[in-house]
Amino acid sequence: MIAYDGPVNILLVDDHPDNLLALEAVLGDLNCNLVKCLSGAEALRCLLKDEFAVILLDVQMPEMDGFETARLIKSRKKTQETPIIFISATSKEAEHFFTGYEAGAIDYMLKPFVPQILRAKIEGFVRLYVGSKTLQLQAELLQRQTAELERGNLELMQTTYQLTKTQALTRAIQETSTDTMMTFDENGVILTVNPAVAAMFGYREDEVLGHPVTMLIPSFEGGAYRLGGMEVPAAGAAGEAGCTAGGASDESDAAGFGAPAGERMQLHPVRKDGSRFPAEIQIGIATIDEERIYACTVSDMTERRRFERELMAAKETAEVAARAKTNFLATVSHEIRTPMNGVLGMTGLLLDTELDESQREYGEIIRKSGEALLSVINDILDYAKIESGKLEVEQLPFKLPLLIAETFDIFTAKSMQSRLSLSYEADPALPELLVGDEIKLRQVLINLIGNAFKFTTEGTISVSSRLLGMAGQTVRIEFVVTDTGVGIPADKLPLLFQPFSQVDTSLARQYEGTGLGLAICKNLVELMGGTIGVSSVVGEGTTFRFTVPMTTWLTPHGEAAADSTDGDRPASPPPGSFAAAAEEDAAAASLSGFAEAGLADARADLRGGAAAAVLVADDNEINQKLTLTLLHKLGIAADVASNGSEAVERAGRRAYDLILMDMRMPVMDGLEATRRVLASAPAGQAPVVVAMTANVLPSDRERCLEAGMADFLAKPIQFDAVKRVLKRYGIEPERKQTSL
């Protein structure tokens, strides 16, 4: 009899550690895993990872009380059957009991509780849990056994039919196969052979029947084909066959022996004209009337070997091209972003000074031109990442109204400047909480809306979303972006989603761009499992439609979550809820997991209020000056190193809190410098090393992390990004500062 012997977990939730210790004292010897949580949010995260036999839940807790925690637990299909016992010191009024039972609890106990009663109840639930698991295992076993019996009956019924059919198929295969198939006895005398022997070896069937198999395969001399005796033939036997005009001697086939029956061997059979050819040979054995019969299949590998050589050559050529492409993209990114860092950074600093109207206008032109160039580079790099298959679809919860609102925020200023009306219409049937790749969906919307602004000088740009269908928790949503712009000729529509293609390729074209934006949209939508299309009328406008599948969050009643927003901006999920926990995880992931909890405060405490020691390692003088100026605006003085070797030397003389390290530098690059700095730092005093580089491919980030870097700043470096990094690692800017 099968029985459940796996772990039994009990979840204890109380915001007072003393209460958790009391519960542990009562239940500690039950041979169960006691998991203790100090809040409802922590308990929900535990439930996402493990399964529990019973939950002991306090009622009065900060941020999220026990009732709300219980409702969220019961809203999840995986945990809705887990028994919950409330343990509370609240009054004995009936309304508290009713609320607890309404939230899904199975019992409600008041503090102080009787340990023996609590223990008896827990033991009962543990027995129920173990019994349920045992029944589940037995049911699964019974189901498998039933399926095996049914399958056995079906196979038995088909056996008779298959025997006759197999014989007919075997004859058909033997007669039509291009491989030579033959049988021979234990003495190596050929018994049967198929017609393919004529094309492969040049013999008629009657010329080989009754002759030794070594006439075709000299390597079988001495009975080397026998099971358990697939030994290498003796030197004398090999020598007798010799080396023909066709190629190698039998000794070259030695590596093919020693393999068990059924496995393929690489040998060189001989044709009637004495020439040899590479072949793959497979041997099987059957015992008929106590006599061993060997079956042998010979496959000519001449064309396959040629194809493999060509394929390997093509593969090597493709790999060289791929490496060259990756190196080219990395070089282009670095060589363009490095001066762009100086152009945009210094332009920002220039615009932060006192300028007259003309000077400020010129500065704004420089900034906008630099940003346009940077946008082109970003498009090329984005498409390269998609093309290389480096992107993966994430499945995280998000609020669709919040995503739309944040997307529209990006275009608010542009809408006001261009006097275009930007509107959004949502289908009331759409669920508010969805699970999908929010980042990729936002990028598609930004690209399509930005494209509409580019080709629309007056009128409106509208965005709408509607529910196309629902199957279980899976929904299919259609997004539509419509503008009243110039429109696209019908013969140009097929070119829109092709990379680097432009509707207008003339020298006098009015609209600039790389032709990658829509190609990126198409790839991202298809990566998410959707489709995208376009319709347009010249002079009237263009409409883009794309559909993507998503998953809904369900309420405790099994219905899609309804819209609960207040005002124009959607409300955040309640603190500690499953959705809020997922949003927190997503926010942490957006920082690439670099900053650990409490790191900033810990480093600030270690300095005791002293000024932070910062080192800037960069070989470009303009970037040095720009970075020092940005740090100066934040009230931070920094040292400078012009290469990796100098950075290592300075770090050896002074304990730095933060090092901003460029990747590409002469003498020693930033990766090697980081390894040496971290390796030589005293225990617990290693500096935080942040990559500050123009290399922005995913592989560059991985190399930085492998070298020990904690964070990543991509050039052109933005003032706000520097502020965030400093704050993340406890290097707070001065209160009085000039904003860029």
Side-chain angles (χ1 to χ4, degrees), residues 15-52:
D15 60 326
H16 293 289
D18 292 343
N19 293 340
L20 292 175
L21 290 175
L23 291 172
E24 187 176 17
V26 174
L27 306 175
D29 60 348
L30 286 182
N31 196 26
C32 297
N33 299 326
L34 301 180
V35 180
K36 295 176 288 185
C37 298
L38 293 171
S39 68
E42 185 181 355
L44 293 176
R45 285 191 287 270
C46 289
L47 285 165
L48 290 174
K49 297 185 296 183
D50 299 316
E51 184 177 351
F52 293 89

Side-chain angles (χ1 to χ4, degrees), residues 48 72 75-76 395-399 431-436 473 475 550-556 558-562 577-583:
L48 290 174
L72 288 170
S75 70
R76 233 173 132 248
Q395 296 295 331
L396 294 173
F398 68 93
K399 284 193 170 185
E432 177 191 13
L433 284 175
L434 296 170
V435 177
Q473 285 184 253
V475 296
M550 296 281 175
T551 306
T552 63
W553 278 97
L554 298 182
T555 67
E559 300 174 351
S577 67
F578 282 0
E583 285 191 5

Side-chain angles (χ1 to χ4, degrees), residues 606-634:
L606 287 174
R607 289 198 304 273
V614 179
L615 175 64
V616 176
D618 199 311
D619 63 309
N620 188 286
E621 293 183 3
I622 296 176
N623 290 335
Q624 290 177 5
K625 185 173 182 179
L626 171 61
T627 307
L628 292 176
T629 304
L630 293 177
L631 292 173
H632 177 71
K633 281 180 164 290
L634 295 171

